[in-house]
């Protein structure tokens, strides 16, 4: 933490090498969050770049006494939500013509020894993009932070600037929508071999 | 206790807490411990997704971007940084000191000081100014102090009834209208003192 504080202090003084180190350190999680909200890797990378540009230009308004990650993730999430709102219609069209149902992999394979993990995760990614297309941007962001990234409610509140009860409501609605999507598009996930 | 026994004990505790975990009814530290266990224990994870299928997507957290995904990311970011609006220059001590939450307090203090200064400069003298000295605004702009004449005092003696004599005096000065000839001089008589003398 002290190391990170020092890095951030150097960034605030305009040290580009320190900023490059910060980018290397923070970009993976930022990309995952943006990717899970917008559903497109190129768009997510662009959002992460925009987020870093904002961080660089807004460093002077960052309070060094507070934690960097919630502040940075808030920028990422807000950019991703804005992007999702703009692109949601287009995404719906492309996903509905994607024909992903035939590629579904039953959940039994998740625990199969020797299975190609990457292939399964790519498949899970496609399934998520398909069923999460019915989520609103806030629900999708809350689900991403809480269920995928494992953030606590308090952390989600800090990142999104909404109340804890609102976080819980959005999470419940998101789970219900995703459950319904799985049941509708991927029924094998309910009858599959995880039992 | 063997390692398997230990694992079984953790799995048993996790199983008992799945509902609380899914309903977010546990302290954050406990929640993080269960999450770590679920990330490594496929059996417990599958028990969780049986209760809440949407939790299946928690597996997406494990996905690390491939290294080649970041090729060209930093040069492109640098290029965009050059094109982006310049960040404000606050490299000095004052800039750093003012950064974060301090700037708001400094601004609030400066605004309060400005209001107080205004009150002292304008409202203070205005409050103590006597009504007789108030002039039309156009006159107020004239350099009164520079052209103010010496006051004059007159004494008048008046014979009252039954042979009594009253003496009264009045001290006054007139303001030369100067650059404001349109203002009648009579309106510029300022009475400094007046009263009956014994």
């Amino acid at each position: 933490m002290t190391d990170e504080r020092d890095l951030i202090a150097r960034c605030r003084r305009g040290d580009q090498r320190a900023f490059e180190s910060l980018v290397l350190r923070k970009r993976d999680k930022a990309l995952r969050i943006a990717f899970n909200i917008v559903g497109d890797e190129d768009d997510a990378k662009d959002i992460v770049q925009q987020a870093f540009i904002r961080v660089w230009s807004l460093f002077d308004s960052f309070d060094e006494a507070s934690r960097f990650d919630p502040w940075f993730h808030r920028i990422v999430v807000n950019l991703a939500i804005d992007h999702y709102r703009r692109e949601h219609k287009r995404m719906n069209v492309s996903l509905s013509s994607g024909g992903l149902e035939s590629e579904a992999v039953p959940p039994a394979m998740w625990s199969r020894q020797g299975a190609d993990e990457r292939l399964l995760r790519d498949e899970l990614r496609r399934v998520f993009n398909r069923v999460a297309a019915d989520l609103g941007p806030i629900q999708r962001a809350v689900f991403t932070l809480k269920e995928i990234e494992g953030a606590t409610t308090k952390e989600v509140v800090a990142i999104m600037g909404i109340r804890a009860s609102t976080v819980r409501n959005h999470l419940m609605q998101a789970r219900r929508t995703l459950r319904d999507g799985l049941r509708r598009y991927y029924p094998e996930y309910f009858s599959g071999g995880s039992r | 206790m063997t390692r398997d026994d230990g694992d079984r004990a953790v799995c048993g505790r996790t199983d008992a807490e799945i509902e609380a975990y899914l309903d977010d009814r546990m302290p954050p530290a406990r929640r993080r411990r269960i999450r770590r266990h679920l990330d490594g224990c496929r059996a417990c994870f599958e028990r969780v997704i049986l209760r809440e299928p949407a939790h299946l997507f928690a597996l997406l957290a494990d996905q690390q971007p491939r290294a080649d995904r970041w090729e060209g990311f930093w040069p492109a970011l640098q290029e965009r940084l050059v094109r982006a609006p310049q960040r404000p220059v606050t490299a000095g001590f004052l800039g750093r000191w003012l950064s974060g939450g301090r700037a708001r307090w400094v601004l609030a203090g400066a605004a309060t000081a400005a209001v107080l200064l205004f009150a002292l400069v304008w409202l203070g003298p205005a409050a103590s100014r006597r009504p007789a000295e108030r002039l039309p605004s156009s006159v107020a702009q004239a350099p009164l102090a520079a052209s103010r004449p010496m006051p004059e005092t007159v004494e008048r003696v008046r014979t009252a009834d039954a042979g009594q004599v009253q003496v009264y005096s009045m001290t006054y000065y007139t303001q030369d209208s100067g650059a404001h000839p349109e203002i009648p001089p009579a309106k510029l008589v300022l009475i400094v003192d007046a009263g009956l003398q014994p």
Side-chain angles (χ1 to χ4, degrees), chain A residues 110-111 117 121, chain B residues 37-38 40-47 59:
Chain A
W110 294 103
S111 54
E117 286 279 322
R121 299 218 188 284
Chain B
H37 177 72
L38 291 176
C41 178
R42 193 52 59 102
C44 284
F45 183 78
E46 286 185 356
R47 275 199 291 276
L59 285 173

Side-chain angles (χ1 to χ4, degrees), chain A residues 12 45 110 148 153 179, chain B residues 24 35 42 52 69 99:
Chain A
R12 283 161 58 86
K45 270 165 76 175
W110 294 103
I148 299 178
T153 301
R179 256 197 324 266
Chain B
D24 200 14
R35 173 67 187 234
R42 193 52 59 102
E52 179 47 75
R69 240 167 226 177
S99 65

Side-chain angles (χ1 to χ4, degrees), chain B residues 48-72:
Chain B
V48 171
I49 60 173
L50 274 177
R51 299 212 191 160
E52 179 47 75
H55 197 72
L56 174 70
F57 300 116
L59 285 173
L60 293 173
D62 295 342
Q63 219 165 26
Q64 289 299 321
R66 289 189 299 266
D68 62 348
R69 240 167 226 177
W70 294 115
E71 253 175 38

